[in-house]
Amino acid sequence: MGCASEALRALLRFARERGITCAYGDLGLDNVVPQRVMATAGMRLVREDSLLQHSRVGRDGPAGQE
């Protein structure tokens, strides 16, 4: 339905309006749906280890996300 992605987008907009330039998110490897939510909201995978995926959006993030 897209509610979680829209909520995350709104949170990221709220943060940007207050001067936050970068946001990070970590998820367990088996949390597939939240991983898609973060990707849909513009966050990108920057690292993965044996337990977590580490994503971010910010200064060097996707266009329109800064």
Side-chain angles (χ1 to χ4, degrees):
M1 292 175 44
C3 295
S5 297
E6 186 52 37
L8 181 54
R9 281 190 212 103
L11 178 62
L12 293 171
R13 274 192 306 272
F14 179 83
R16 279 193 308 274
E17 290 167 359
R18 282 147 185 81
I20 304 299
T21 59
C22 187
Y24 297 88
D26 300 330
L27 291 170
L29 298 177
D30 58 345
N31 286 338
V32 177
V33 173
Q35 291 167 9
R36 286 195 310 256
V37 167
M38 291 172 72
T40 300
M43 299 188 80
R44 64 184 175 102
L45 180 65
V46 294
R47 188 168 60 94
E48 184 173 309
D49 58 35
S50 62
L51 298 175
L52 299 171
Q53 284 190 341
H54 307 273
S55 299
R56 71 175 273 159
V57 65
R59 292 184 189 134
D60 61 343
Q65 294 295 314
E66 302 181 51

